[in-house]
């Protein structure tokens, strides 16, 4: 059986690439390409072939995206190649970096400059990925269940939101009326790290004396406390402007970036001028990539350090870890502070990107969503956190919306499917509105069939397999 | 407002807190029973509660339709609603256990996170299913309970307090349910089995108790209580949405932790305490801080109390201090 996979993958990929180049507008060829990406990544084929095929596929998908920037399937295909390039074993680092740079800095911008939705999607994925990485340190690596994680995101967002907008002048005499100029964002990203980390320590100090479910409920409560304060601190001093939120939050200047794009002839290439919205989309796309890069790097370094090993030890067995001389509370506080810092810096970026901060974005729901990214991706695994965030974001703002549009067209044209006239479908059934339903189903099914997550951490995978074997031996009477 | 005025409204505040406290207590019991048996925070319980409220609402609309009422007596109608909600929510809780939690148990995963995430998934699923139902049937998100004059009649009580008839019903029904549950758990065979399973599932199985059946029945009992609480909640606050369960569920869980999770009298007391804390702080905070920190901070107050209590008594008010097994 295995002997046939390699030739089949080769033939299928060649055919789908050929098909894509001959009929670039056909949806079926896109689907075939997506399947090829899957086959190449997951099938048993020699490593050099894998790298080569991934590169060719990335090139084809980029061409498709250049020809038709609205082609979302091609974009998802590229994301798939990206994930494969970074997570598959046996690829050389050169290949990984080359593919990563080509996709993130050439392919996506080429299409994104005409279809800014792609940037939007990239930015959202990046923001959620940073949150997932932060929570992954706390829950995945240190094993501390935090259900109020959105609080740290809120702290970061408000740190810039208050001072980068007219809001600060409402309670500080003599503060510039329009708030600090946008370029201060870079300074405030650093400050957001500090404020969020301090909040992490402040919340952690009482909460981390508790364990397991108690810790969960207390962090949940304290997370709500932060949100209630954000929601109500418009009196006695107007600090957060209450439920209306803060707007407009200043953004950094994109003049230099626009100049640069003009200098390399981007306008000529795309046949339309580089205006402010598209320049901002591109700018935040780059900024988010930069932040994610830093966060991932710091996270990898920390995970392999003395602290990372201490976290894992605490997660696996707190008492044993204590016996081996690991200081429990400081290690846990460090995990809380690190996780908070990761989401704090992204909070500041988020505030600038939205130009609007309101308590709405930091509900319990948000905290639970972040937790779900981590679980879905695979607890404790850095790649998993990113993939989990990407998968859910693509599903929510990509696939479900497309499916809604498809249903709407069917409804309008009155297509018959399995003898049912789609025109009779009630208008309330709009899949884009029911993301939670899909999300909930995915969570349940994942926990039943693949509790270790999409990209499991090595250690965790081994453990679950052991437990499964034990259960089989015990129950197999 | 003078100090005398503040004291004058105290009895009324206390009464409102009592009503809220009983609703919390009934929901908290569902959390605490499941936690006692499985060690799982059943996040889906808040949706079981909400579904109970929706079932009650449908009974009111279906049999109490103002034009052609099948049951014209509002008290009888309420009784029917309570029974249906108890059955419906109980079955829903059993289904959730059967299809979401049992497969996990069979697989023998030791992580506490896996069942909890499943519970969150179930909770999302039930919320949106209810939302679809509400959209298709009522074409809107908010569902309003029908009101009856007979239930809304205001009665004068001593100490300048007033209570609506439905308030009295809430108190009576909750007390009856709580007594019934205490009897069930302490005096019946099923109760004994539930206690045995919650102490040690394997040993209980060796003694001839089928843990799966008992767990299923625990969910049935907890779910029914949640359903009854849902109808009472709807009756008191009249507006029900697919997300109505989230906040009361959270508070009820907090009550359970406050009382010592896994402990049945603890959950009741915790619910009553939280109800009082919330109404008292909601009423008095604005006066005490000159309106600077208003009613909105009552949740902050409730959660901070919880944090403080847990710091000094990590096992809750009635919880037993279980030492870690090494």
């Amino acid at each position: 059986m295995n002997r046939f996979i390699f030739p089949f993958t080769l033939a299928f990929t060649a055919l789908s690439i050929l098909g894509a180049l001959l009929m670039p507008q056909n949806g079926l060829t896109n689907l075939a390409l997506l399947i090829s990406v899957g086959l190449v990544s997951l099938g048993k084929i020699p490593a050099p072939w894998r790298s080569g095929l991934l590169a060719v596929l990335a090139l084809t998908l980029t061409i498709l995206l250049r020809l038709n920037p609205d082609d979302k399937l091609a974009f998802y295909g590229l994301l798939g190649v990206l994930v494969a390039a970074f997570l598959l074993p046996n690829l050389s680092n050169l290949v990984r970096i080359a593919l990563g740079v080509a996709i993130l800095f050439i392919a996506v911008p080429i299409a994104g400059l005409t279809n800014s939705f792609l940037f939007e999607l990239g930015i959202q994925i990046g923001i959620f990925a940073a949150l997932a990485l932060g929570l992954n340190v706390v829950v995945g690596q240190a094993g501390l269940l935090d259900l109020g994680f959105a609080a740290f995101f809120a702290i970061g967002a408000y740190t810039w939101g208050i001072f980068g907008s007219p809001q600060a002048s409402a309670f500080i005499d003599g503060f510039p009326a329009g708030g600090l100029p946008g370029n201060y964002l870079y300074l405030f990203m650093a400050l957001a790290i500090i404020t969020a980390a301090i909040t992490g320590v402040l919340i952690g100090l009482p909460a981390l004396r508790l364990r397991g479910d108690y810790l969960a409920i207390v962090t949940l409560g304290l997370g709500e406390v932060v949100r209630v304060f954000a929601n109500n601190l418009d009196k006695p001093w107007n600090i957060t402007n209450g439920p209306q939120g803060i707007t407009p939050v200043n953004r950094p200047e994109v003049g230099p970036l626009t100049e640069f794009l003009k200098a390399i002839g981007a306008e000529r290439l795309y046949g339309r001028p580089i205006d402010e919205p598209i320049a901002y989309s591109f700018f935040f796309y780059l900024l988010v990539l930069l932040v994610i890069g830093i966060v991932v790097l710091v996270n990898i370094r920390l995970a392999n350090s003395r602290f990372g090993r201490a976290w894992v030890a605490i997660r696996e067995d707190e008492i044993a870890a204590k016996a081996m001389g690991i200081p429990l509370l400081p290690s846990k506080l460090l995990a809380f502070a690190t996780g908070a810092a990761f989401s704090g810096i992204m909070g500041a970026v988020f505030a600038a990107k939205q130009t609007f901060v309101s308590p709405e974005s930091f509900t319990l729901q948000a905290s639970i969503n972040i937790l779900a990214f981590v679980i879905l991706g695979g607890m404790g695994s850095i790649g998993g956190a990113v993939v989990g965030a990407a998968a859910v974001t693509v599903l929510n703002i990509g696939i479900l919306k497309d499916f809604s549009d498809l249903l709407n067209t069917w409804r309008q044209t009155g297509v018959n499917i399995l003898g049912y006239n789609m025109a009779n479908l009630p208008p309330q059934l709009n899949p884009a509105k029911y993301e939670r339903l899909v999300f909930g189903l995915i969570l349940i099914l994942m926990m039943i069939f693949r509790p270790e997550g999409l990209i499991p951490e090595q250690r965790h995978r081994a453990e679950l397999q052991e437990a499964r074997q034990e259960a089989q031996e015990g129950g197999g009477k | 407002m003078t100090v005398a005025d503040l004291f004058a409204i105290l009895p009324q505040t206390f009464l409102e807190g009592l009503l809220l406290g009983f609703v919390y207590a009934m929901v908290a019991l569902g959390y605490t029973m499941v936690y006692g048996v499985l060690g799982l925070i059943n996040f889906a319980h808040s949706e079981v509660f909400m579904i109970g409220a929706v079932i009650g609402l449908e009974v009111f609309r279906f049999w109490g339709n103002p034009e052609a009422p099948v049951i014209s007596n509002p008290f009888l109608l309420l009784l029917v609603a309570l029974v249906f909600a108890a059955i419906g929510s109980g079955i829903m809780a059993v289904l959730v256990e059967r299809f979401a939690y049992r497969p996990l148990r069979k697989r023998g995963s030791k992580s506490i996170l896996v069942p909890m995430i499943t519970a969150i998934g179930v909770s999302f699923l039930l919320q949106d299913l209810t939302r679809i139902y509400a959209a298709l049937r009522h074409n809107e998100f908010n569902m309003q309970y029908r009101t009856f004059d007979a239930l809304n009649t205001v009665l004068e009580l001593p100490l300048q307090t007033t209570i609506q008839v439905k308030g009295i019903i809430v108190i009576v029904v909750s007390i009856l349910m709580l007594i019934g549950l205490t009897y069930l758990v302490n005096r019946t065979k099923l109760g004994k089995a539930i206690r045995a399973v919650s102490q040690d599932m394997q040993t209980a199985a060796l003694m001839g108790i089928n843990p799966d059946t008992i767990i299923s029945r625990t969910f049935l009992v907890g779910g029914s209580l949640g359903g009854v609480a849902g109808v009472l909640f709807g009756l008191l606050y009249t507006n029900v949405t697919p997300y109505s369960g989230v906040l009361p569920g959270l508070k009820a869980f907090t009550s359970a932790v406050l009382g010592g999770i896994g402990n049945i009298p603890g959950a009741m007391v915790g619910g009553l305490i939280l109800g009082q804390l919330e109404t008292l702080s909601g009423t008095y905070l604005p006066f005490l801080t000159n309106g600077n920190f208003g009613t909105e901070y009552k949740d902050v107050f409730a959660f901070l109390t919880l944090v403080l209590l847990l710091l000094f008594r990590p096992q809750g008010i009635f919880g037993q201090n279980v030492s870690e097994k090494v």
Side-chain angles (χ1 to χ4, degrees):
Chain A
M1 182 64 208
N2 276 339
R3 270 187 304 146
F4 297 110
I5 288 180
F6 177 46
F8 176 74
T9 307
L10 217 55
F12 191 86
T13 312
L15 268 179
S16 55
I17 291 177
L18 193 67
L21 295 179
L22 290 178
M23 302 174 288
Q25 306 291 348
N26 193 324
L28 268 182
T29 60
N30 271 327
L31 213 58
L33 278 175
L34 275 181
I35 296 173
S36 317
V37 172
L39 280 173
V40 171
S41 327
L42 301 175
K44 275 204 170 87
I45 54 175
W49 280 95
R50 203 193 303 260
S51 324
L53 284 176
L54 281 179
V56 177
L57 279 170
L59 186 67
T60 320
L61 288 165
T62 312
I63 295 173
L64 282 187
L65 211 53
R66 174 72 191 94
L67 291 174
N68 176 15
D70 294 328
D71 189 344
K72 278 189 209 152
L73 281 179
F75 182 70
Y76 300 149
L78 274 179
L79 283 182
V81 175
L82 191 64
V83 169
F86 276 97
L87 294 175
L88 286 178
N90 306 332
L91 286 184
S92 77
N93 278 338
L94 189 71
V95 174
R96 286 183 214 272
I97 294 171
L99 273 176
V101 168
I103 292 174
L104 289 175
F105 294 102
I106 300 173
V108 175
I110 280 179
L113 282 172
T114 22
N115 177 13
S116 61
F117 172 77
L118 299 183
F119 280 146
E120 183 64 35
L121 201 61
I123 294 168
Q124 291 285 351
I125 291 176
I127 290 175
F128 288 138
L131 297 178
L133 282 167
L135 186 62
N136 186 39
V137 171
V138 179
V139 180
Q141 295 178 329
L144 306 163
L145 186 50
D146 183 347
L147 287 182
F149 196 71
F152 305 129
F153 187 44
I155 297 288
Y158 274 101
T159 302
W160 173 240
I162 290 171
F163 294 99
S165 73
Q167 183 60 30
S169 58
F171 65 99
I172 298 175
D173 282 334
F175 201 82
L180 293 172
N183 281 344
Y184 274 83
L185 172 66
Y186 307 114
L187 172 66
F188 270 76
M189 279 161 63
L191 285 179
I193 293 180
I194 299 169
T195 48
I198 292 175
T199 319
V201 172
L202 285 181
I203 288 186
L205 267 177
L208 286 173
R209 289 165 201 280
L210 305 164
R211 282 189 172 173
D213 306 315
Y214 288 98
L215 176 64
I217 197 75
V218 165
T219 47
L220 186 156
L222 291 174
E224 278 294 284
V225 168
V226 169
R227 191 187 62 82
V228 171
F229 272 111
N231 207 15
N232 295 299
L233 268 187
D234 46 355
K235 64 189 176 176
W237 315 278
N238 188 0
I239 296 177
T240 66
N241 205 25
Q244 293 95 346
I246 299 171
T247 191
V249 179
N250 297 333
R251 301 181 289 187
E253 283 166 23
V254 284
L257 183 70
T258 320
E259 292 301 313
F260 171 74
L261 284 175
K262 280 181 182 158
I264 61 167
E267 289 192 328
R268 215 162 12 91
L269 259 170
Y270 305 113
R272 54 180 259 197
I274 302 292
D275 54 358
E276 211 183 26
I278 201 83
Y280 266 116
S281 294
F282 189 41
F283 169 74
F284 278 110
Y285 172 76
L286 291 177
L287 187 62
V288 164
L289 271 185
L290 178 76
V291 174
I292 277 290
I294 296 171
V295 165
V296 168
L297 214 64
V298 173
N299 200 344
I300 292 176
R301 299 289 294 164
L302 268 175
N304 294 327
S305 75
R306 188 156 64 89
F307 303 112
R309 287 193 297 273
W311 291 335
V312 174
I314 292 175
R315 178 187 76 190
E316 298 302 327
D317 190 333
E318 212 175 298
I319 296 172
K322 197 174 174 187
M324 299 313 284
I326 293 171
L328 287 188
L329 193 62
S331 302
K332 289 181 179 178
L333 280 178
L334 184 70
F336 249 57
T338 311
F342 287 173
S343 49
I345 184 173
M346 209 42 124
V349 176
F350 174 76
K353 188 240 150 200
Q354 300 277 322
T355 69
F356 173 64
V357 190
S358 90
E360 287 279 293
S361 321
F362 314 109
T363 51
L364 171 63
Q365 188 65 46
S367 299
I368 289 182
N369 283 349
I370 304 169
L371 181 65
F373 299 152
V374 175
I375 306 285
L376 216 61
M379 282 217 309
S381 121
I382 294 175
V386 178
V387 172
V392 175
T393 314
V394 165
L395 183 75
N396 276 354
I397 65 179
I399 296 174
L400 281 182
K401 205 167 269 159
D402 294 345
F403 188 51
S404 280
D405 293 344
L406 184 69
L407 271 189
N408 269 337
T409 19
W410 281 352
R411 211 174 269 143
Q412 276 152 17
T413 48
V415 188
N416 270 305
I417 288 176
L418 298 174
Y420 183 82
N421 190 346
M422 295 305 281
N424 296 333
L425 203 68
Q428 290 94 337
L429 280 186
N430 181 356
K433 282 192 193 159
Y434 296 109
E435 50 185 59
R436 275 194 204 198
L437 182 112
V438 181
F439 196 28
L441 262 182
I442 293 176
L443 285 183
I444 300 171
L445 294 178
M446 277 290 290
M447 287 304 109
I448 293 180
F449 296 108
R450 199 180 162 83
E452 64 269 45
L454 292 172
I455 319 282
E457 191 202 14
Q458 295 299 326
R459 201 187 313 255
H460 193 203
R461 190 197 334 227
E463 243 166 64
L464 276 168
Q465 269 168 0
E466 229 166 71
R468 211 169 294 170
Q469 265 169 6
E470 262 174 43
Q472 268 170 6
E473 280 158 19
K477 3 169 198 187
Chain B
M1 199 172 243
T2 64
V3 177
D5 290 338
L6 289 182
F7 273 107
I9 57 172
L10 188 60
Q12 182 68 37
T13 314
F14 180 77
L15 198 63
E16 314 246 310
L18 199 67
L19 291 183
L20 190 63
F22 273 124
V23 174
Y24 285 165
M26 292 177 77
V27 186
L29 284 168
Y31 281 102
T32 227
M33 287 176 72
V34 168
Y35 191 92
V37 172
L38 288 182
L40 153 77
I41 304 180
N42 181 13
F43 274 98
H45 190 61
S46 54
E47 273 57 53
V48 169
F49 162 81
M50 176 271 295
I51 285 171
V54 174
I55 293 175
L57 180 124
E58 289 302 335
V59 169
F60 271 70
R61 286 171 85 107
F62 190 68
W63 279 312
N65 188 349
E67 279 95 51
V70 180
I71 303 169
S72 48
N73 184 339
F75 296 100
L76 190 62
L77 189 63
L78 178 59
L79 186 70
V80 175
L82 287 173
V83 170
F84 270 79
I87 296 174
S89 288
I91 291 175
M92 181 56 84
V94 170
L95 288 179
V96 168
E97 193 276 326
R98 179 69 192 80
F99 292 107
Y101 303 149
R102 194 174 294 182
L104 299 180
R105 225 165 45 239
K106 294 290 163 232
R107 269 246 316 279
S109 152
K110 286 190 190 81
S111 160
I112 57 158
L113 273 172
V114 169
M116 208 178 80
I117 296 295
T118 313
I120 292 173
V122 172
S123 147
F124 282 0
L125 187 75
L126 292 180
Q127 278 171 10
D128 259 8
L129 284 179
T130 313
R131 225 176 101 199
I132 292 178
Y133 172 81
L136 290 179
R137 187 162 154 79
H138 300 285
N139 211 1
E140 62 171 343
F141 186 81
N142 283 310
M143 294 173 273
Q144 289 291 333
Y145 257 71
R146 253 205 76 195
T147 49
F148 293 93
D149 292 340
L151 294 178
N152 284 346
T153 316
V154 178
L155 302 178
E156 304 268 341
L157 296 179
L159 289 172
Q160 289 177 316
T161 52
T162 56
I163 188 167
Q164 288 178 319
V165 172
K166 62 185 183 186
I168 294 181
I169 294 178
V170 169
I171 293 179
V172 171
V173 172
S174 345
I175 291 180
L176 284 179
M177 297 295 286
L178 297 184
I179 291 175
L181 182 77
T182 315
Y183 178 80
L184 177 92
V185 171
N186 291 325
R187 294 269 184 277
T188 64
K189 216 170 170 181
L190 173 64
K192 211 178 219 173
I194 290 179
R195 280 179 291 144
V197 171
S198 84
Q199 269 180 13
D200 188 334
M201 200 182 290
Q202 276 174 344
T203 315
L206 289 175
M207 302 294 142
I209 296 168
N210 182 352
D212 282 341
T213 319
I214 299 303
I215 290 170
S216 214
R217 288 189 188 156
T218 310
F219 271 85
L220 182 74
V221 174
S224 307
L225 280 175
V228 170
V231 179
L232 298 181
F233 181 82
L235 201 65
L236 280 179
Y237 304 103
T238 64
N239 190 16
V240 178
T241 74
Y243 306 115
S244 280
V246 178
L247 209 54
L250 195 59
K251 301 287 181 53
F253 181 68
T254 308
S255 318
V257 175
L258 204 64
I261 189 149
N263 180 306
I264 289 178
M268 295 182 202
V269 175
L272 292 175
I273 292 180
L274 198 73
Q276 290 302 343
L277 268 180
E278 235 190 274
T279 31
L280 283 177
S281 55
T283 313
Y284 287 108
L285 267 180
F287 297 124
L288 295 178
T289 61
N290 286 327
N292 286 328
F293 293 95
T295 317
E296 314 85 60
Y297 287 92
K298 64 177 191 209
D299 293 350
V300 172
F301 201 75
F303 285 127
L304 288 183
T305 315
L306 176 81
V307 174
L308 277 181
L309 180 106
L310 287 181
L311 277 186
F312 294 107
R313 215 180 141 70
Q315 67 276 33
I317 300 173
F318 287 93
Q320 273 146 15
N321 203 349
V322 186
S323 63
E324 190 93 357
K325 284 172 227 158
V326 185

